Amino acid sequence: MNPQFRTLLAISAAMATLGACSNGSPGAAQPPTTAPTSVAPSTTTAAPYNPTVNAADFGPRIDHPYFPLTPGTVRVFEGTRDGKPMRTEYTVTHRTRQVMGVKCVVVEDVVTSNGALVEKTEDWFAQKRDGSVWYFGENTAEYVNGVVSSTHGTWEAGVDGAVPGVIMRAHPRVGNAYYQEFRPGEAEDRAKILTLDSAVKVPAGSYTKVITTEDSDPLNPGKTDKKWYAPGVGVVHSVRIGSAHHESMSLVSVTGP
């Protein structure tokens, strides 16, 4: 079978799964409607990953049209995880943190279910001179009954062999494949750009010229995430399929600058 056709079938199946899991779930956001025009064949990163980081090339001001992080902005997502209602507040703070000599903007990510804290994460991002947005690490914790149950996934560039990854290329192209984070054996997520001009509708609004990505994790081969990035906003929808946990989240509001 033609590789491109096979990929189109896979994406169609994924969207069918998304619709089946989103409809009828309490608190679930409606799935987006997409109109991809081109799909890249599956690619992997074979070469050893060890990017050169010159601190002078990075800064905390992030104005990439597909991943803007303006301090004071709060994005709220709602949806479901394993059939349970979920809510995520994604806050771009006015704080910075220095990682590998790079001043990064600090973003707080708080996940709740029925009002109970499920996960709290602090992420560190910086933008390179060329316009690409880089991810320098996270401090994450999962909670059960108000008590930390796990910090799995925590990593910091420059510590224990970890290096920063790319969240969004300066000039995204269909077929681009890259590491989003890299700490050997702990965090090795990768992204692949599938489309550049999808259309999507979520509670926060309708968007065009949306970038669609497929995210994978070689440490968890059964997990696949798909994300939709709208211009001027960033992520507006995400869905996790093919793993022990199914999750679908959509943007419901954006406040702040």
Side-chain angles (χ1 to χ4, degrees):
M1 184 184 293
N2 181 279
Q4 187 177 47
F5 184 61
R6 187 185 294 112
T7 306
L8 283 168
L9 289 178
I11 292 176
S12 298
M15 293 306 299
T17 303
L18 166 61
C21 294
S22 295
N23 293 336
S25 300
Q30 291 299 311
T33 56
T34 60
T37 59
S38 56
V39 179
S42 178
T43 58
T44 58
T45 303
Y49 182 66
N50 188 25
T52 299
V53 177
N54 182 355
D57 290 337
F58 294 86
R61 179 179 177 179
I62 299 177
D63 56 7
H64 193 296
Y66 283 94
F67 203 84
L69 295 179
T70 303
T73 302
V74 179
R75 298 181 178 89
V76 177
F77 297 82
E78 291 182 353
T80 61
R81 179 184 292 175
D82 298 335
K84 298 179 180 179
M86 302 293 293
R87 175 185 173 88
T88 299
E89 289 193 8
Y90 193 82
T91 303
V92 184
T93 75
H94 291 271
R95 297 185 290 115
T96 60
R97 177 189 174 96
Q98 192 158 306
V99 182
M100 293 186 72
V102 174
K103 184 181 287 188
C104 302
V105 65
V106 175
V107 176
E108 294 180 348
D109 189 354
V110 178
V111 182
T112 57
S113 179
N114 291 322
L117 180 63
V118 173
E119 185 176 332
K120 183 183 291 185
T121 302
E122 184 179 282
D123 299 303
W124 313 310
F125 299 97
Q127 186 165 300
K128 198 173 181 180
R129 289 180 187 271
D130 64 4
S132 57
V133 181
W134 290 60
Y135 188 26
F136 279 78
E138 63 179 304
N139 184 10
T140 185
E142 297 178 11
Y143 290 79
V144 176
N145 297 324
V147 178
V148 175
S149 61
S150 173
T151 59
H152 178 72
T154 294
W155 67 282
E156 180 176 343
V159 178
D160 293 332
V163 290
V166 175
I167 288 296
M168 185 57 66
R169 290 283 186 89
H171 305 288
R173 297 287 185 270
V174 170
N176 284 166
Y178 46 90
Y179 278 103
Q180 294 179 305
E181 55 184 35
F182 193 79
R183 178 186 173 189
E186 186 72 20
E188 299 182 15
D189 287 8
R190 303 175 184 178
K192 180 179 63 179
I193 296 178
L194 301 179
T195 71
L196 299 175
D197 53 3
S198 295
V200 62
K201 183 177 182 180
V202 294
S206 298
Y207 306 93
T208 58
K209 298 183 179 179
V210 174
I211 290 177
T212 307
T213 68
E214 179 183 78
D215 300 350
S216 60
D217 178 5
L219 302 178
N220 187 357
K223 183 187 77 171
T224 300
D225 291 329
K226 292 190 182 297
K227 296 177 182 176
W228 289 257
Y229 295 81
V233 183
V235 176
V236 294
H237 186 78
S238 65
V239 59
R240 174 168 295 176
I241 58 176
S243 72
H245 302 285
H246 185 278
E247 181 178 308
S248 177
M249 302 293 287
S250 291
L251 183 69
V252 298
S253 69
V254 181
T255 58

